[in-house]
Amino acid sequence: MLHIEKGKYKQQNVTKTLNNEAFENLEPQETYKYLGFEQNTSLNHSHIKQQLKKKYKQRLTLVLKSKLNAKNIIKAVNTYAIPLLTYSFGIVKWSDTDLTELNRVNRTKLTEHRKLHPNSCIERITITRKEGGRGLVDIQTLHNTQIQNTSLHQAITKADKGYTPLNLHQNDIQENTETNTIQHKKDIWARKTLHGSHYNIMQNPHIDTQLSYKWLHSGQLFPETEGFVLAIQVKVIATKNYRKYILKEKIETDTCRKCHQYPETIEHITGGCKLLAGTDYTDRHNTAAKIIHQELALKYGLIQTQTPYYNYTPETILENENCKLYWDRTLHTDKTIICNRPDITLLNKTQKHTYIIDIAIPNDSNIVQKETEKIEKYTPLATEIKEVWKQEKITIVPIIMSVTGITTKSFKQHLKTIDLPLYIHTNIQKAVILKTTTIVRKFMQ
């Protein structure tokens, strides 16, 4: 039994019930649990927060040790670990410092389990996946939203002037900083010199944000791979250039360790090193081209069975009575044309319509101009082919995707032109991203 008069503990004689059962007095240092929280005449906020933090870290570690994919592991943190803290919001007095520390614990644990690059953009972690973030709940924002936007809590806080051990009126926690909205975080991200470069690329009106972040929204990659791709996008990989000019390390030169000609930046590694052009870059390019070629071959009945793209070997020429499909073949014309070897050429015999399909995987900053270059590059060939092959129509179809999966708005239209389903984009994007991470890892080793 606990006796309180005017908010203060008062010792009472042992009380007996009708059955002569004795109820001992609760001592001042003892506590009883009510709705999950230990209390006496008041709550020991420091002790409760310490216990909650300990349990939260245990749950967080348990989730991060699991073998879930990137999206599900974040979802598990949001639905299994964070609700442990959410229950205490409005009862336990969490300061801004406490909440900031909890967000820092999230980042530290993610980094510790190789799910996050230590130099990644902080704001991007709690931005939704559709907008280029990882979708982790911002604990500070969640707390402030739950407290400030709940009229019931505000009414109870106003009325509880010593009526309960919580004494919410005295410990009013609505004076926390304003909730950080998604737009506010994106504005901070955009202002950062290094991290903001990717954000500014995505603001180009020709970029399709939804398609570009499709891989992130689906979240099927391993968490480590996902974190690595995001680090590549914001240019925080420890290249020589990054170490010399950002980390200020004392290294003699920042030239590429492979070609020894250009500064070793992340853009140079992913798409600018001459020594990788004939091997790794070509392999990545051909991977995307194989997906397109196999889908066209299946669509027109040139092959009967589908195989994984990494096991697919295109035939140089596939033909039936309706169409002819060329793979990486020189197209001979009467006039000398320099660019006469597109990746894929589809000749529709019944409609007398030829499609010149060329694939490119440029760096993120070059994706928009690369599409224009492809069209200009193959226009002379298209003019000659129309005359030599007696075609009614020639269509140039550039399939362009950046090394990290950024896609232009015209990508859908190009797929529609050759009558391929949109899921082809997802397959190409995943293949390209995996190849890019492999290239960077191998280079850095």
Side-chain angles (χ1 to χ4, degrees), residues 88-103:
S88 68
F89 294 166
I91 298 174
V92 179
K93 187 177 181 181
W94 293 95
S95 66
D96 285 336
T97 304
D98 294 325
L99 299 170
T100 302
E101 182 189 349
L102 287 171
N103 278 331

Side-chain angles (χ1 to χ4, degrees), residues 119 189 191-199 233-237 242 246:
N119 296 325
W189 177 16
R191 289 195 295 267
K192 293 185 175 181
T193 305
L194 193 63
H195 295 164
S197 59
H198 171 75
Y199 180 85
Q233 287 184 339
V234 296
K235 305 176 183 179
V236 294
I237 302 299
Y242 181 82
I246 304 300

Side-chain angles (χ1 to χ4, degrees), residues 129-170:
R129 287 181 169 267
K130 288 183 178 180
E131 298 177 285
R134 302 194 74 176
L136 186 67
V137 170
D138 186 328
I139 297 176
Q140 186 172 13
T141 301
L142 178 66
H143 171 272
N144 294 343
T145 301
Q146 184 166 315
I147 300 306
Q148 296 172 0
N149 297 343
T150 306
S151 56
L152 177 61
H153 180 271
Q154 293 178 1
I156 294 173
T157 300
K158 185 177 180 180
D160 185 16
K161 299 180 179 180
Y163 284 109
T164 72
L166 297 177
N167 196 14
L168 294 176
H169 185 80
Q170 180 181 354

Side-chain angles (χ1 to χ4, degrees), residues 232 270 284 403-404 431-441:
I232 292 173
T270 56
R284 180 178 58 194
V403 295
T404 62
V432 167
I433 286 174
L434 291 177
K435 286 292 183 181
T436 297
T437 55
T438 301
I439 290 170
V440 176
R441 285 192 179 108

Side-chain angles (χ1 to χ4, degrees), residues 376-431:
E376 294 176 353
K377 178 179 178 181
Y378 287 104
T379 297
L381 178 63
T383 304
E384 283 298 306
I385 288 295
K386 186 175 183 180
E387 296 296 328
V388 175
W389 289 4
K390 308 297 182 182
Q391 296 292 291
E392 294 183 0
K393 189 176 182 181
I394 305 290
T395 303
I396 301 172
V397 184
I399 304 294
I400 314 296
M401 181 179 290
S402 84
V403 295
T404 62
I406 296 178
T407 311
T408 60
K409 291 182 178 178
S410 59
F411 195 98
K412 286 182 181 179
Q413 183 59 43
H414 293 321
L415 285 182
K416 188 176 180 180
T417 300
I418 53 179
D419 198 21
L420 290 182
L422 189 58
Y423 70 77
I424 300 301
H425 169 270
T426 304
N427 297 342
I428 295 174
Q429 189 178 54
K430 183 177 180 180

